[in-house]
Every structure is written in structure tokens, then in C-alpha cells.
């Protein structure tokens, strides 16, 4: 941690939207900083509808030099994309970006944040179309509670665009078979998932909420290629994959060669050989009755 040089809490209010009856003021993010002061400076009246927290920290690097790190926090505003004004004004200087608890559908504009080291995007609406710009500085990425289901596509994108990633968290996504979010999965499912991710992202030190051990990393290098889950593409699925509403005239349990009425015969090995001696009815049949 370093020394906080500057901390700004900017309050914005949508002038085109009238405050609803009973609307409450937003909680003050930092003690000792009055949100009303920014309304007084800007001349705005009424309760603010969004908060932007910008923190500039003076931190000492490993080489002994002091660096300025800017943290940008914009949470709980239901925005569907990264506001352009934030990307243009704070993109180059921001090293930590937190946009949790919004409604993000894409990361358009993330390329402006070219010096990011930590990115927090929990509780959004991000799906399999998520794309990050190339960033060799990004070390930590949190994507908890989104809608990502294509694990292979995600790790392939991350391996190409954030090659130095050390911390990744995917809890609450369909791609993460954790018992915390889905009781249908077990520990074996989750461990296979970890082996596959660690095999693809070799520099990870933390995955989800657990540290990566040397034993786990070795096992991932050994079995990782065989833990990939293969799913058919939408084009490979039949029109009615689950069979609901299927036309009965189209269905037949017989081989295709017998559906035209000309029986061609079939043979094979039976799985079971039923003799009948364990049948309940045989208790009342004696040899003299046969």
C-alpha cells in the first residue's frame, strides 16, 4: 500500500430525470467527504444519481522508485457499457478499474485502459462475447457472477490477450462448475475445471478462491489436455434436441432399412440372458404342472 495523494468523489445527476418520490440519497462512499459539496460546486440540486471514485496512490515499486497509481471505481450504476467519458479521461492513467454491480453487456472501450493491472467486473451481464484488449500488465481479473458459459473460448482469449494473468475468478458463471453456485456439480467436476484452466493459463497463482499448489500445477500439465469438455455446436444439434413436441410420424425405433416395410433382419449380442428361474411366478409352478 502507498500514500493516498488525491481522492475525488464526483457526483453526477441526470437532469432529464426527476427524482422519484421517496428516492434516497446515495450513501457516502468515503467518511469525511461530503457528497453535498460537489453538488454545491457544480450548482446541481437534488440527490445525485451516480458516484465516481478516483483515488491516486503513491506506491513504491520493487526498484525503489515511487509510482503514481490511479484507482477508478464506478459501481452500481446499471450501465450497459463503459462510459466513454471515463475511458477518455482516466483510461491511460488507471491501473485498477472496478465496475462491479452494473449491467455490462460488452467491454467496448476497455482498450483505452492500456495500463490496467487489476480489473473487477463482478455481477454484470457479460457473456461469451466478452473480449479484452491486449494488455501485458494485467495481473488480476475478477468475473464473478456473469453469464459466461464457454470456458474454452474464454481461456483461449485470455491466453492470447492477457499473457501475464496471475489471478482469475469465475465463481457464479455457468462455465465454473462450483458447488457454491450449482449443487448439481461435485468436487470432481470442479477439479477437472481447475486442471483445464491451469493447463491453458500457466502463470496463474490463484484461481477462484484457492491458491494454485505445485502438485496441482503438475497434475494440470499431465491431465489438462484430457479434461476439455466437448459440446456440439448449435448447427450440429437437431431441430428438437430434447424430443419435446417431436412429430410422432417421423420417429421409429427400427433401423432405417426396416421403415419401408421390407424387413432385412438384425442380430447382435444380448446384454442379459434371462432364464426365468428368479421370476416370482415360478414359485407356484411345479414339474407335474408342466
Amino acid at each position: 500500500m502507498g500514500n493516498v495523494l488525491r481522492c475525488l468523489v464526483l457526483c453526477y445527476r441526470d437532469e432529464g430525470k426527476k427524482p422519484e418520490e421517496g428516492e434516497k440519497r446515495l450513501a457516502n462512499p468515503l467518511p469525511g467527504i461530503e457528497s453535498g459539496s460537489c453538488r454545491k460546486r457544480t450548482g446541481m440540486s437534488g440527490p445525485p444519481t451516480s458516484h465516481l471514485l478516483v483515488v491516486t496512490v503513491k506506491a513504491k515499486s520493487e526498484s525503489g522508485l515511487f509510482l503514481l497509481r490511479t484507482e477508478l471505481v464506478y459501481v452500481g450504476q446499471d450501465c450497459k457499457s463503459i462510459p466513454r467519458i471515463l475511458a477518455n479521461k482516466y483510461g491511460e492513467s488507471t491501473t485498477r478499474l472496478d465496475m462491479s454491480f452494473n449491467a455490462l453487456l460488452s467491454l467496448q472501450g476497455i482498450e483505452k485502459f492500456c495500463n490496467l493491472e487489476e480489473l473487477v467486473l463482478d455481477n454484470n451481464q457479460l457473456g461469451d462475447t466478452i473480449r479484452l484488449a491486449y494488455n501485458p500488465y494485467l495481473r488480476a481479473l475478477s468475473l464473478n457472477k456473469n453469464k459466461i458459459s464457454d470456458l474454452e473460448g474464454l481461456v483461449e482469449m485470455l491466453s492470447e490477450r492477457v499473457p501475464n494473468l496471475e489471478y482469475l475468478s469465475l465463481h457464479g458463471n455457468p462455465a465454473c462448475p462450483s458447488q457454491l453456485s450449482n449443487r448439481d456439480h461435485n468436487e470432481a467436476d470442479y477439479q477437472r475445471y481447475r486442471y483445464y484452466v491451469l493447463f491453458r493459463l500457466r502463470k496463474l497463482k490463484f484461481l477462484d478462491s484457492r491458491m494454485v499448489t505445485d502438485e496441482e500445477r503438475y497434475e494440470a500439465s499431465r491431465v489438462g489436455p484430457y479434461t476439455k469438455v466437448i459440446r456440439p455446436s448449435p448447427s450440429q444439434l437437431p431441430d428438437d434436441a430434447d424430443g419435446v413436441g417431436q412429430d410422432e410420424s417421423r420417429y421409429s425405433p427400427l433401423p432405417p432399412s426396416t421403415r419401408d416395410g421390407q424387413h432385412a433382419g438384425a442380430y447382435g449380442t444380448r446384454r442379459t440372458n434371462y432364464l426365468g428361474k428368479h421370476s416370482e411366478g415360478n414359485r407356484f409352478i411345479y414339474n407335474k404342472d408342466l
Side-chain angles (χ1 to χ4, degrees):
M1 292 295 293
N3 299 324
V4 177
L5 299 183
R6 183 179 60 177
C7 181
L8 299 178
V9 182
L10 306 180
C11 309
Y12 298 94
R13 180 175 182 272
D14 187 356
E15 295 297 336
K17 176 184 176 183
K18 296 182 179 180
E20 298 180 0
E21 184 178 354
E23 183 178 7
K24 296 181 179 179
R25 295 173 181 266
L26 293 178
N28 190 11
L30 290 180
I33 298 182
E34 295 294 334
S35 10
S37 60
C38 81
R39 290 201 307 276
K40 185 175 181 181
R41 284 198 307 271
T42 57
M44 292 188 297
S45 60
T49 58
S50 64
H51 277 179
L52 169 65
L53 176 62
V54 184
V55 180
T56 302
V57 180
K58 183 179 180 181
K60 190 175 183 180
S61 64
E62 296 179 356
S63 60
L65 299 176
F66 285 95
L67 305 174
L68 296 181
R69 300 166 55 90
T70 299
E71 300 182 4
L72 183 63
V73 180
Y74 191 71
V75 301
Q77 305 304 321
D78 294 330
C79 56
K80 296 182 179 180
S81 60
I82 300 175
R84 188 177 302 175
I85 186 174
L86 299 185
N88 293 336
K89 186 171 184 179
Y90 300 104
E92 294 185 2
S93 61
T94 300
T95 56
R96 181 182 186 273
L97 176 62
D98 187 351
M99 292 197 65
S100 303
F101 295 94
N102 280 289
L104 293 178
L105 297 174
S106 72
L107 295 180
Q108 185 177 0
I110 196 67
E111 65 277 1
K112 298 292 185 67
F113 295 86
C114 52
N115 294 309
L116 274 183
E117 298 176 9
E118 182 178 354
L119 179 59
V120 183
L121 300 170
D122 299 341
N123 291 274
N124 279 285
Q125 304 295 320
L126 296 170
D128 294 332
T129 57
I130 177 176
R131 292 293 180 270
L132 291 171
Y134 179 79
N135 187 345
Y137 308 110
L138 191 65
R139 297 290 190 274
L141 175 62
S142 184
L143 291 167
N144 298 317
K145 293 189 176 181
N146 278 278
K147 296 183 177 182
I148 301 172
S149 58
D150 183 8
L151 181 62
E152 181 185 3
L154 177 67
V155 296
E156 183 177 357
M157 184 270 295
L158 294 179
S159 63
E160 295 175 354
R161 303 195 177 189
V162 282
N164 297 314
L165 194 65
E166 297 178 354
Y167 176 91
L168 175 65
S169 187
L170 297 173
H171 274 310
N173 287 278
C176 176
S178 172
Q179 290 180 296
L180 296 176
S181 55
N182 192 336
R183 295 184 179 180
D184 294 336
H185 297 293
N186 53 37
E187 183 62 26
D189 296 330
Y190 181 67
Q191 192 59 60
R192 283 192 295 270
Y193 147 84
R194 287 181 64 88
Y195 286 151
Y196 178 71
V197 175
L198 295 176
F199 171 72
R200 297 296 303 272
L201 303 176
R202 304 295 181 92
K203 294 186 179 181
L204 281 185
K205 297 180 179 179
F206 279 84
L207 178 56
D208 299 330
S209 56
R210 282 164 45 182
M211 181 184 293
V212 179
T213 63
D214 293 337
E215 294 80 5
E216 193 176 27
R217 196 181 301 278
Y218 169 77
E219 191 67 12
S221 65
R222 189 179 70 86
V223 304
Y226 312 107
T227 56
K228 174 183 175 182
V229 178
I230 301 178
R231 296 183 177 88
S233 63
S235 60
Q236 295 175 321
L237 294 175
D239 296 337
D240 194 357
D242 56 1
V244 178
Q246 191 175 21
D247 185 4
E248 295 182 358
S249 62
R250 294 168 50 195
Y251 173 76
S252 173
L254 300 177
S257 60
T258 64
R259 295 179 187 178
D260 56 359
Q262 298 179 1
H263 179 66
Y267 66 93
T269 304
R270 293 182 297 176
R271 294 185 179 180
T272 60
N273 187 14
Y274 178 70
L275 299 177
K277 59 184 178 180
H278 297 296
S279 173
E280 289 292 328
N282 288 343
R283 294 184 302 168
F284 309 100
I285 301 176
Y286 298 96
N287 291 335
K288 63 179 183 179
D289 298 328
L290 297 176

